[in-house]
Structures are given as structure tokens and as C-alpha cells.
Amino acid sequence: MTPPPGPAPVDPAALLRTRSYVQLLLLAAIIGVPVSCVAYGFLWLVSQLQDALFSDLPDRLGYATAPDWWPIPVLAVGGLLTAGAIRRLPGTGGHHPADGFKPGGALPPVELPGVMLAALATLSFGAVLGPEAPLIAIGSGLGVLAVRLAAREAPPMAATVIAAAGSFASISTLFGSPLLAAFLLLEASGLGGPMLGVVLVPGLLAAGVGTLIFVGLDSITGLGTFSLALTNVPDFDRPTVAMFGWAIVIGLAAPLLGLGIRHLARSLRPVVERRMTVFLPLVGIGVGALAAVLAALTDHPASDVLFSGQDQLPSLVAQASEWSVGALLLLVACKGLAYALSLSAFRGGPVFPAMFIGAAGGIAASHLPGLSLVPAVAMGIGAMSTVMLGLPLTSTMLATLLLEVDGLAVVPLVIVAVVVAYVATARLTRAPPADPAEPAAPTAAAGEPRARAPV
């Protein structure tokens, strides 16, 4: 018996010509304004709480500067608050960062308080995660809420598109460019095919509006745009043959470090989640202790280990000459372990810590013969981001666009490092062989193409 035909596929070109799509674009532009304001306010609040906890509070208690041990109790409290938000509020506090950068689709608005409070407790108290994943979730949830309030009878696709537009708007300037933020979301979500433009255009429109809002709020308040930008970077002319050789080495080294971080995080995750209110504060204590170790053994502050690294990355690159190779290797070790601990149960994004660790490793590698600072930093950022995010195209753009004019010269080197890191990561994380007890997959019928084995 012939099954009934399914619904006719949507024609993207026809959809673009409809009045409802124009209305969807208008709603995307409108939603970009409040979402960007909320995102700006959220980032400002995180910055204020960080200053209050790590600068103002020690000063009020009589310390000229925060002592080396200060992050330990602060992160213990942060772990307790994060655990409370995850356990007591609807949802799971947002996407689990140990799973990599994977936007979770439209967020139910009822889960917004849990996402915001878990992220505030994570980011403000010094855990080594970034704001991008919580902002994407917040933008998505606000987008869904806007559709429900403005058009209750809207089809599910409208809520999906506007949720995506809200996510675009919320991180529009976080990486220094709305195009880079949009590209990150597109590659991470796996969008493609004929429907790509249908979802992309409202998102880009919302991101453009969001960028204007961030710039406008900065001009009014003077609080900044909370955008990553590398300044005072030395000039770089052209790559050499030796640098291409080092690109292969960096591409091979990054998976060893990144996969070790991921393995540790995923090994700790089930242990911490069994009794989160007990173990998450202990994880916070571990992160704080690692920051204290760096501060005690070097003349560099604990903040270089704490937080996402978004604010510390520009100064790290600009002051690269002030770091010895030993101090840089200690920084990579402490930041990497703190990153793994934070990934195991805190809530935040994995992008900026990966970039920071890659840059620190690149600065250390720049002391090798035939390798200078700018290409080493770019290759380190690109390779480490590829391992931790699994997004080679976005990682290439992150490493090159942040360096502005110099980025054009380092593009070939970054591509080599990223490709090598991507392939090496895939080889090292190959799926285990099938269980012999399981039934074999059916073979292809005559005339049907057989599935190709992975290369």
C-alpha cells in the first residue's frame, strides 16, 4: 500500500516574496533593540560584579590588593550559587559547555531566569568560561517571548527564526564584528541548504541593529562595547617556509592539550552532577587555587587564570615581552586545568578561554627559531579554537579578523594550523569500533550506493 504523500517542501524563494516574511524581517529588526539592550546590561552587570568581588570587597576589608588566596572562597560561593540556579530553577541553567559550542535551539522563556542566574554566578565569580553561550540562550528566549506576546498565532517557524535573530543580536559585537558572530552561529548550528538565507537574513538584520545599539549605549554611558579587540600588535609582513613548518607543529600540539582538557571535564562532569551543591563549590575552590598558584609563583595577577580571558587577551598579547617562557607554560597549565574544571559543571561559553590558551601557547612558541609573535598567536588561537569548538571556518576567522591588517598576512599559516588541528582531533577522537554483539548494519541492495568509510 502506498503511504500518503507528506507535506510539500517549502520553497525558500517563494517564501522570501511573501508579505509574512517581510513582517518577520520587521519583527527581527524590532526585537534586535530590546535584546541588545538586555545583552549590554547583562555584560555590564557581569563587569560590575567582577570589580565588586575582586577589587572593591578586598579594599573594604582592608587589603590594598586582593591576596593570592582571594579567588578560592569567592569561587566556592560562585559554585554554590551556580548549583542552586541549576537545581532549583526551570531548565538546566543553559547549555553544558563540556559538550562544546552547540546552540540548543529556541529556549523556552520559563528557563531564562535559570540561564541568567547560573551565568552570572559563573562569570562574575571568576570561573573560566565566556559569556557567548549564555547570551545566545538569553537572546533566543527573549525572541521566543517576543513572538508569543506579539503574534500568538504565529507558526512554529516564526518562533524559530526570531529566536535565532535574538541570538544574533545578543552577541552582535562580542567578537568585534557582527559578521563573525553570525558566522559562528551558522557553523555551530549546522544551518545550510536552501533554507539558509531564510534564517540568515533576519539574523543579520538583528545583528546589525544590535551593533548599533551597543555602539549607541557606549556613547551614552561610556561603559564600553564589551567587544574583543586586539590592539598594539606588531606589524607582520609575510610568512616564511619555516613558519609553515611550525604551523604543522602547532596544529598537532593543540589537540593534545585541548582533548586533555575536554577529557578531564567530561570525566568530572558525572561526578559533580551527582551532588552538585557539594562538589561544584569544590570545583570553584580548585579554580581559585590554580589562580593563586600563578600569582604566587610569578609576578602576574590571578586574573590571568580567572574569567573567560576576553578582557585579558589584548593585554597578554600587547605585553608578551614581559612574560618568560616558563611563566607562559605555567599560565597555559593553570588556565587549562581551570578551564577543564569550569567546563565540568559551571555554565558559560567555551570560546574565549580556548582563544586565550591558544594565544598564550602561541606567545611561548614565538621564542622558537623562525617564528615571530603575530603568526604564532594567530596559529595558536586558530588551532586551539578548532579543537575545543570543532568549527574550523569560524576558528580561522577568529584568528585572522582579530589581527585586522596583520590577519591578511597570516591567513595561509592559520589555515594550515587549523586544518592540521581539525584532522588530528578527528583522528584522536575516532568513534570506538562497533560491539561484535550488536547486529550488523544491513548491506546495500544491488544498484544502491554503499556508504563510504571515513577517511
Side-chain angles (χ1 to χ4, degrees), residues 316-388:
L316 174 71
V317 176
Q319 300 168 12
S321 60
E322 300 178 12
W323 286 82
S324 67
V325 175
L328 285 167
L329 295 178
L330 181 63
L331 173 63
V332 170
C334 291
K335 188 82 170 183
L337 288 172
Y339 185 25
L341 291 174
S342 300
L343 284 170
S344 68
F346 279 98
R347 291 297 187 264
V351 178
F352 288 110
M355 295 175 62
F356 185 93
I357 293 171
I363 295 172
S366 68
H367 291 80
L368 295 168
L371 185 59
S372 57
L373 178 66
V374 171
V377 167
M379 290 186 289
I381 291 175
M384 195 66 187
S385 298
T386 299
V387 176
M388 298 308 297

Side-chain angles (χ1 to χ4, degrees), residues 21-410:
Y21 188 74
V22 176
Q23 294 173 339
L24 197 64
L25 286 176
L26 180 61
L27 183 58
I30 294 173
I31 194 59
V33 176
V35 167
S36 300
C37 290
V38 171
Y40 188 92
F42 178 83
L43 293 172
W44 173 82
L45 181 58
V46 168
S47 177
Q48 292 296 109
L49 288 175
Q50 288 177 352
D51 289 341
L53 291 169
F54 290 92
S55 297
D56 298 342
L57 186 56
D59 181 65
R60 292 187 179 183
L61 294 178
Y63 296 102
T65 58
D68 293 346
W69 52 263
W70 184 260
I72 297 175
V74 172
L75 273 152
V77 175
L80 186 62
L81 293 175
T82 303
I86 294 171
R87 292 298 192 202
R88 302 295 181 184
L89 296 174
T92 58
H95 170 68
H96 201 297
D99 295 331
F101 189 82
K102 298 177 181 177
L107 183 79
V110 70
E111 297 183 14
L112 277 171
V115 170
M116 297 181 75
L117 291 178
L120 280 175
T122 292
L123 304 175
S124 304
F125 285 76
V128 186
L129 292 171
E132 67 282 356
L135 284 178
I136 289 170
I138 291 169
S140 173
L142 291 176
V144 174
L145 181 62
V147 171
R148 291 183 181 178
L149 294 176
R152 294 181 180 274
E153 303 301 325
M157 181 183 174
T160 302
V161 172
I162 296 302
S167 296
F168 276 65
S170 63
I171 63 166
S172 57
T173 66
L174 200 58
F175 298 98
S177 166
L179 289 176
L180 183 52
F183 199 93
L184 172 70
L185 281 174
L186 288 174
E187 189 178 15
S189 62
L191 288 173
M195 293 300 293
L196 174 62
V198 174
V199 180
L200 174 61
V201 173
L204 286 177
L205 180 60
V209 172
T211 301
L212 291 176
I213 297 300
F214 268 64
V215 173
L217 289 174
D218 175 40
S219 65
I220 295 172
T221 64
L223 299 175
T225 59
F226 305 103
S227 175
L228 178 63
L230 296 182
T231 56
N232 301 320
V233 178
D235 293 333
F236 177 70
D237 186 15
R238 63 174 64 89
T240 64
V241 174
M243 291 178 185
F244 277 99
W246 288 122
I248 296 174
V249 173
I250 291 173
L252 292 173
L256 300 178
L257 176 60
L259 293 179
I261 291 172
R262 186 188 300 168
H263 176 73
L264 177 58
R266 291 179 174 175
S267 299
L268 290 174
R269 175 180 174 178
V271 177
V272 177
E273 288 185 342
R274 278 199 293 268
R275 298 189 64 185
M276 188 168 284
T277 54
V278 174
F279 289 119
L280 194 49
L282 294 179
V283 170
I285 289 173
V287 174
L290 289 164
V293 167
L294 180 79
L297 297 181
T298 70
D299 57 354
H300 298 284
S303 59
D304 286 327
V305 172
L306 302 175
F307 313 117
S308 69
Q310 177 186 1
D311 294 334
Q312 291 76 29
L313 180 56
S315 60
L316 174 71
V317 176
Q319 300 168 12
S321 60
E322 300 178 12
W323 286 82
S324 67
V325 175
L328 285 167
L329 295 178
L330 181 63
L331 173 63
V332 170
C334 291
K335 188 82 170 183
L337 288 172
Y339 185 25
L341 291 174
S342 300
L343 284 170
S344 68
F346 279 98
R347 291 297 187 264
V351 178
F352 288 110
M355 295 175 62
F356 185 93
I357 293 171
I363 295 172
S366 68
H367 291 80
L368 295 168
L371 185 59
S372 57
L373 178 66
V374 171
V377 167
M379 290 186 289
I381 291 175
M384 195 66 187
S385 298
T386 299
V387 176
M388 298 308 297
L389 307 181
L391 307 175
L393 298 180
T394 298
S395 298
T396 301
M397 293 182 68
L398 279 172
T400 55
L401 292 183
L402 289 177
L403 295 171
E404 297 180 346
V405 176
D406 287 334
L408 297 176
V410 300

